[in-house]
PDB file of all heavy atoms in Angstrom:
ATOM      1  N   PRO A   1      18.508 -52.664  28.187  1.00  0.00           N
ATOM      2  CA  PRO A   1      17.252 -52.019  28.499  1.00  0.00           C
ATOM      3  C   PRO A   1      16.561 -51.561  27.201  1.00  0.00           C
ATOM      4  O   PRO A   1      17.253 -51.169  26.194  1.00  0.00           O
ATOM      5  CB  PRO A   1      17.824 -50.720  29.254  1.00  0.00           C
ATOM      6  CG  PRO A   1      19.153 -51.122  29.809  1.00  0.00           C
ATOM      7  CD  PRO A   1      19.741 -52.056  28.765  1.00  0.00           C
ATOM      8  N   GLY A   2      15.356 -51.762  27.134  1.00  0.00           N
ATOM      9  CA  GLY A   2      14.603 -51.303  25.948  1.00  0.00           C
ATOM     10  C   GLY A   2      14.232 -52.412  25.064  1.00  0.00           C
ATOM     11  O   GLY A   2      13.361 -52.267  24.158  1.00  0.00           O
ATOM     12  N   PHE A   3      15.057 -53.578  25.125  1.00  0.00           N
ATOM     13  CA  PHE A   3      14.815 -54.628  24.115  1.00  0.00           C
ATOM     14  C   PHE A   3      13.396 -55.247  24.341  1.00  0.00           C
ATOM     15  O   PHE A   3      12.733 -55.463  23.304  1.00  0.00           O
ATOM     16  CB  PHE A   3      15.904 -55.696  24.321  1.00  0.00           C
ATOM     17  CG  PHE A   3      15.833 -56.737  23.240  1.00  0.00           C
ATOM     18  CD1 PHE A   3      16.266 -56.554  21.951  1.00  0.00           C
ATOM     19  CD2 PHE A   3      15.156 -57.969  23.522  1.00  0.00           C
ATOM     20  CE1 PHE A   3      16.142 -57.592  20.982  1.00  0.00           C
ATOM     21  CE2 PHE A   3      15.038 -59.026  22.550  1.00  0.00           C
ATOM     22  CZ  PHE A   3      15.534 -58.755  21.380  1.00  0.00           C
ATOM     23  N   LEU A   4      13.000 -55.382  25.558  1.00  0.00           N
ATOM     24  CA  LEU A   4      11.648 -55.978  25.754  1.00  0.00           C
ATOM     25  C   LEU A   4      10.610 -55.137  25.226  1.00  0.00           C
ATOM     26  O   LEU A   4       9.676 -55.654  24.508  1.00  0.00           O
ATOM     27  CB  LEU A   4      11.436 -56.172  27.295  1.00  0.00           C
ATOM     28  CG  LEU A   4      10.069 -56.649  27.689  1.00  0.00           C
ATOM     29  CD1 LEU A   4       9.714 -58.001  27.138  1.00  0.00           C
ATOM     30  CD2 LEU A   4      10.008 -56.719  29.221  1.00  0.00           C
ATOM     31  N   GLN A   5      10.721 -53.827  25.399  1.00  0.00           N
ATOM     32  CA  GLN A   5       9.691 -52.812  24.864  1.00  0.00           C
ATOM     33  C   GLN A   5       9.660 -52.915  23.344  1.00  0.00           C
ATOM     34  O   GLN A   5       8.620 -52.886  22.651  1.00  0.00           O
ATOM     35  CB  GLN A   5       9.949 -51.508  25.381  1.00  0.00           C
ATOM     36  CG  GLN A   5       9.576 -51.293  26.924  1.00  0.00           C
ATOM     37  CD  GLN A   5      10.624 -51.900  27.733  1.00  0.00           C
ATOM     38  OE1 GLN A   5      11.748 -52.191  27.362  1.00  0.00           O
ATOM     39  NE2 GLN A   5      10.285 -52.207  28.975  1.00  0.00           N
ATOM     40  N   ASP A   6      10.898 -52.987  22.707  1.00  0.00           N
ATOM     41  CA  ASP A   6      10.935 -52.968  21.203  1.00  0.00           C
ATOM     42  C   ASP A   6      10.308 -54.239  20.691  1.00  0.00           C
ATOM     43  O   ASP A   6       9.606 -54.194  19.729  1.00  0.00           O
ATOM     44  CB  ASP A   6      12.387 -52.894  20.846  1.00  0.00           C
ATOM     45  CG  ASP A   6      13.038 -51.505  21.057  1.00  0.00           C
ATOM     46  OD1 ASP A   6      12.219 -50.539  21.253  1.00  0.00           O
ATOM     47  OD2 ASP A   6      14.247 -51.411  21.028  1.00  0.00           O
ATOM     48  N   MET A   7      10.584 -55.346  21.367  1.00  0.00           N
ATOM     49  CA  MET A   7      10.120 -56.702  20.934  1.00  0.00           C
ATOM     50  C   MET A   7       8.592 -56.777  21.118  1.00  0.00           C
ATOM     51  O   MET A   7       7.891 -57.265  20.169  1.00  0.00           O
ATOM     52  CB  MET A   7      10.787 -57.861  21.642  1.00  0.00           C
ATOM     53  CG  MET A   7      10.530 -59.133  21.062  1.00  0.00           C
ATOM     54  SD  MET A   7      11.086 -59.269  19.294  1.00  0.00           S
ATOM     55  CE  MET A   7      12.754 -58.821  19.285  1.00  0.00           C
ATOM     56  N   THR A   8       8.124 -56.184  22.232  1.00  0.00           N
ATOM     57  CA  THR A   8       6.675 -56.126  22.404  1.00  0.00           C
ATOM     58  C   THR A   8       5.923 -55.383  21.367  1.00  0.00           C
ATOM     59  O   THR A   8       4.921 -55.863  20.761  1.00  0.00           O
ATOM     60  CB  THR A   8       6.357 -55.546  23.821  1.00  0.00           C
ATOM     61  OG1 THR A   8       6.981 -56.204  24.815  1.00  0.00           O
ATOM     62  CG2 THR A   8       4.867 -55.504  24.112  1.00  0.00           C
ATOM     63  N   ALA A   9       6.481 -54.223  21.053  1.00  0.00           N
ATOM     64  CA  ALA A   9       5.786 -53.378  19.907  1.00  0.00           C
ATOM     65  C   ALA A   9       5.873 -54.115  18.670  1.00  0.00           C
ATOM     66  O   ALA A   9       4.877 -54.069  17.748  1.00  0.00           O
ATOM     67  CB  ALA A   9       6.597 -52.099  19.914  1.00  0.00           C
ATOM     68  N   PHE A  10       7.008 -54.745  18.331  1.00  0.00           N
ATOM     69  CA  PHE A  10       7.179 -55.379  17.050  1.00  0.00           C
ATOM     70  C   PHE A  10       6.194 -56.577  16.915  1.00  0.00           C
ATOM     71  O   PHE A  10       5.545 -56.702  15.905  1.00  0.00           O
ATOM     72  CB  PHE A  10       8.598 -55.790  16.799  1.00  0.00           C
ATOM     73  CG  PHE A  10       8.937 -56.283  15.392  1.00  0.00           C
ATOM     74  CD1 PHE A  10       8.939 -55.343  14.383  1.00  0.00           C
ATOM     75  CD2 PHE A  10       9.056 -57.645  15.099  1.00  0.00           C
ATOM     76  CE1 PHE A  10       9.207 -55.801  13.020  1.00  0.00           C
ATOM     77  CE2 PHE A  10       9.311 -57.979  13.768  1.00  0.00           C
ATOM     78  CZ  PHE A  10       9.399 -57.103  12.838  1.00  0.00           C
ATOM     79  N   ILE A  11       6.135 -57.388  17.961  1.00  0.00           N
ATOM     80  CA  ILE A  11       5.221 -58.616  17.824  1.00  0.00           C
ATOM     81  C   ILE A  11       3.804 -58.066  17.776  1.00  0.00           C
ATOM     82  O   ILE A  11       2.954 -58.673  17.078  1.00  0.00           O
ATOM     83  CB  ILE A  11       5.547 -59.480  19.078  1.00  0.00           C
ATOM     84  CG1 ILE A  11       6.822 -60.202  18.888  1.00  0.00           C
ATOM     85  CG2 ILE A  11       4.374 -60.557  19.270  1.00  0.00           C
ATOM     86  CD1 ILE A  11       7.323 -61.151  19.941  1.00  0.00           C
ATOM     87  N   ASN A  12       3.430 -57.081  18.529  1.00  0.00           N
ATOM     88  CA  ASN A  12       2.100 -56.486  18.482  1.00  0.00           C
ATOM     89  C   ASN A  12       1.684 -56.059  17.049  1.00  0.00           C
ATOM     90  O   ASN A  12       0.641 -56.328  16.452  1.00  0.00           O
ATOM     91  CB  ASN A  12       1.936 -55.384  19.485  1.00  0.00           C
ATOM     92  CG  ASN A  12       1.697 -55.876  20.881  1.00  0.00           C
ATOM     93  OD1 ASN A  12       1.310 -57.020  21.081  1.00  0.00           O
ATOM     94  ND2 ASN A  12       1.945 -55.030  21.890  1.00  0.00           N
ATOM     95  N   GLU A  13       2.719 -55.408  16.398  1.00  0.00           N
ATOM     96  CA  GLU A  13       2.523 -54.919  15.072  1.00  0.00           C
ATOM     97  C   GLU A  13       2.320 -56.048  14.124  1.00  0.00           C
ATOM     98  O   GLU A  13       1.515 -56.089  13.271  1.00  0.00           O
ATOM     99  CB  GLU A  13       3.665 -54.031  14.607  1.00  0.00           C
ATOM    100  CG  GLU A  13       3.429 -53.271  13.257  1.00  0.00           C
ATOM    101  CD  GLU A  13       4.396 -52.245  12.974  1.00  0.00           C
ATOM    102  OE1 GLU A  13       5.359 -51.945  13.927  1.00  0.00           O
ATOM    103  OE2 GLU A  13       4.543 -51.773  11.857  1.00  0.00           O
ATOM    104  N   LEU A  14       3.136 -57.143  14.265  1.00  0.00           N
ATOM    105  CA  LEU A  14       2.982 -58.266  13.373  1.00  0.00           C
ATOM    106  C   LEU A  14       1.640 -58.836  13.546  1.00  0.00           C
ATOM    107  O   LEU A  14       0.869 -59.074  12.546  1.00  0.00           O
ATOM    108  CB  LEU A  14       4.075 -59.424  13.772  1.00  0.00           C
ATOM    109  CG  LEU A  14       5.493 -59.149  13.400  1.00  0.00           C
ATOM    110  CD1 LEU A  14       6.356 -60.195  14.028  1.00  0.00           C
ATOM    111  CD2 LEU A  14       5.647 -59.024  11.922  1.00  0.00           C
ATOM    112  N   LYS A  15       1.178 -59.033  14.774  1.00  0.00           N
ATOM    113  CA  LYS A  15      -0.137 -59.672  14.965  1.00  0.00           C
ATOM    114  C   LYS A  15      -1.301 -58.841  14.622  1.00  0.00           C
ATOM    115  O   LYS A  15      -2.304 -59.326  13.983  1.00  0.00           O
ATOM    116  CB  LYS A  15      -0.318 -60.018  16.587  1.00  0.00           C
ATOM    117  CG  LYS A  15       0.678 -61.066  16.990  1.00  0.00           C
ATOM    118  CD  LYS A  15       0.532 -61.474  18.447  1.00  0.00           C
ATOM    119  CE  LYS A  15      -0.508 -62.482  18.536  1.00  0.00           C
ATOM    120  NZ  LYS A  15      -0.535 -63.187  19.907  1.00  0.00           N
ATOM    121  N   GLU A  16      -1.141 -57.496  14.692  1.00  0.00           N
ATOM    122  CA  GLU A  16      -2.281 -56.525  14.271  1.00  0.00           C
ATOM    123  C   GLU A  16      -2.369 -56.576  12.806  1.00  0.00           C
ATOM    124  O   GLU A  16      -3.381 -56.282  12.181  1.00  0.00           O
ATOM    125  CB  GLU A  16      -1.925 -55.146  14.777  1.00  0.00           C
ATOM    126  CG  GLU A  16      -2.134 -54.996  16.286  1.00  0.00           C
ATOM    127  CD  GLU A  16      -1.623 -53.706  16.835  1.00  0.00           C
ATOM    128  OE1 GLU A  16      -1.066 -52.875  15.995  1.00  0.00           O
ATOM    129  OE2 GLU A  16      -1.728 -53.458  18.052  1.00  0.00           O
ATOM    130  N   ASN A  17      -1.234 -56.917  12.079  1.00  0.00           N
ATOM    131  CA  ASN A  17      -1.278 -56.970  10.577  1.00  0.00           C
ATOM    132  C   ASN A  17      -1.438 -58.378  10.110  1.00  0.00           C
ATOM    133  O   ASN A  17      -1.138 -58.724   8.907  1.00  0.00           O
ATOM    134  CB  ASN A  17      -0.034 -56.309  10.064  1.00  0.00           C
ATOM    135  CG  ASN A  17      -0.187 -54.826  10.191  1.00  0.00           C
ATOM    136  OD1 ASN A  17      -0.816 -54.129   9.401  1.00  0.00           O
ATOM    137  ND2 ASN A  17       0.530 -54.218  11.181  1.00  0.00           N
ATOM    138  N   ASP A  18      -1.904 -59.272  11.062  1.00  0.00           N
ATOM    139  CA  ASP A  18      -2.224 -60.633  10.632  1.00  0.00           C
ATOM    140  C   ASP A  18      -1.024 -61.523  10.236  1.00  0.00           C
ATOM    141  O   ASP A  18      -1.184 -62.289   9.281  1.00  0.00           O
ATOM    142  CB  ASP A  18      -3.307 -60.650   9.563  1.00  0.00           C
ATOM    143  CG  ASP A  18      -4.319 -61.886   9.683  1.00  0.00           C
ATOM    144  OD1 ASP A  18      -4.321 -62.522  10.726  1.00  0.00           O
ATOM    145  OD2 ASP A  18      -4.866 -62.113   8.675  1.00  0.00           O
ATOM    146  N   ILE A  19       0.092 -61.281  10.855  1.00  0.00           N
ATOM    147  CA  ILE A  19       1.324 -62.113  10.485  1.00  0.00           C
ATOM    148  C   ILE A  19       1.555 -62.974  11.771  1.00  0.00           C
ATOM    149  O   ILE A  19       1.885 -62.424  12.769  1.00  0.00           O
ATOM    150  CB  ILE A  19       2.529 -61.156  10.123  1.00  0.00           C
ATOM    151  CG1 ILE A  19       2.176 -60.282   8.961  1.00  0.00           C
ATOM    152  CG2 ILE A  19       3.783 -62.050   9.890  1.00  0.00           C
ATOM    153  CD1 ILE A  19       3.348 -59.238   8.677  1.00  0.00           C
ATOM    154  N   ASP A  20       1.475 -64.290  11.577  1.00  0.00           N
ATOM    155  CA  ASP A  20       1.683 -65.112  12.653  1.00  0.00           C
ATOM    156  C   ASP A  20       3.013 -65.723  12.520  1.00  0.00           C
ATOM    157  O   ASP A  20       3.843 -65.273  11.740  1.00  0.00           O
ATOM    158  CB  ASP A  20       0.588 -66.281  12.714  1.00  0.00           C
ATOM    159  CG  ASP A  20       0.611 -67.120  11.443  1.00  0.00           C
ATOM    160  OD1 ASP A  20       1.542 -66.943  10.596  1.00  0.00           O
ATOM    161  OD2 ASP A  20      -0.321 -67.876  11.245  1.00  0.00           O
ATOM    162  N   CYS A  21       3.474 -66.733  13.422  1.00  0.00           N
ATOM    163  CA  CYS A  21       4.696 -67.310  13.538  1.00  0.00           C
ATOM    164  C   CYS A  21       5.093 -67.937  12.170  1.00  0.00           C
ATOM    165  O   CYS A  21       6.187 -67.768  11.640  1.00  0.00           O
ATOM    166  CB  CYS A  21       4.793 -68.357  14.586  1.00  0.00           C
ATOM    167  SG  CYS A  21       4.940 -67.584  16.275  1.00  0.00           S
ATOM    168  N   GLY A  22       4.108 -68.578  11.592  1.00  0.00           N
ATOM    169  CA  GLY A  22       4.436 -69.308  10.305  1.00  0.00           C
ATOM    170  C   GLY A  22       4.640 -68.261   9.180  1.00  0.00           C
ATOM    171  O   GLY A  22       5.532 -68.463   8.395  1.00  0.00           O
ATOM    172  N   GLY A  23       3.967 -67.194   9.183  1.00  0.00           N
ATOM    173  CA  GLY A  23       4.160 -66.184   8.161  1.00  0.00           C
ATOM    174  C   GLY A  23       5.488 -65.480   8.384  1.00  0.00           C
ATOM    175  O   GLY A  23       6.173 -65.270   7.366  1.00  0.00           O
ATOM    176  N   LEU A  24       5.936 -65.255   9.485  1.00  0.00           N
ATOM    177  CA  LEU A  24       7.221 -64.576   9.764  1.00  0.00           C
ATOM    178  C   LEU A  24       8.364 -65.572   9.469  1.00  0.00           C
ATOM    179  O   LEU A  24       9.323 -65.117   8.827  1.00  0.00           O
ATOM    180  CB  LEU A  24       7.353 -64.248  11.325  1.00  0.00           C
ATOM    181  CG  LEU A  24       8.619 -63.556  11.613  1.00  0.00           C
ATOM    182  CD1 LEU A  24       8.813 -62.239  10.972  1.00  0.00           C
ATOM    183  CD2 LEU A  24       8.718 -63.228  13.155  1.00  0.00           C
ATOM    184  N   GLU A  25       8.101 -66.803   9.699  1.00  0.00           N
ATOM    185  CA  GLU A  25       9.183 -67.777   9.352  1.00  0.00           C
ATOM    186  C   GLU A  25       9.370 -67.891   7.832  1.00  0.00           C
ATOM    187  O   GLU A  25      10.475 -68.014   7.340  1.00  0.00           O
ATOM    188  CB  GLU A  25       8.862 -69.220   9.915  1.00  0.00           C
ATOM    189  CG  GLU A  25       9.925 -70.290   9.733  1.00  0.00           C
ATOM    190  CD  GLU A  25       9.483 -71.516  10.362  1.00  0.00           C
ATOM    191  OE1 GLU A  25       8.385 -71.848  10.542  1.00  0.00           O
ATOM    192  OE2 GLU A  25      10.444 -72.220  10.882  1.00  0.00           O
TER     193      GLU A  25
END
């Protein structure tokens, strides 16, 4: 429980700061 919410928040933060899949890789 909670992993989905944590991952949602983290991915949103990545995208809001202009970090895409390629940048994360």
Side-chain angles (χ1 to χ4, degrees):
F3 183 80
L4 173 60
Q5 288 73 22
D6 290 345
M7 192 57 56
T8 302
F10 190 72
I11 287 177
N12 281 340
E13 187 170 352
L14 289 173
K15 298 183 82 167
E16 287 170 1
N17 287 281
D18 210 18
I19 301 173
D20 59 14
C21 285
L24 182 60
E25 187 175 30

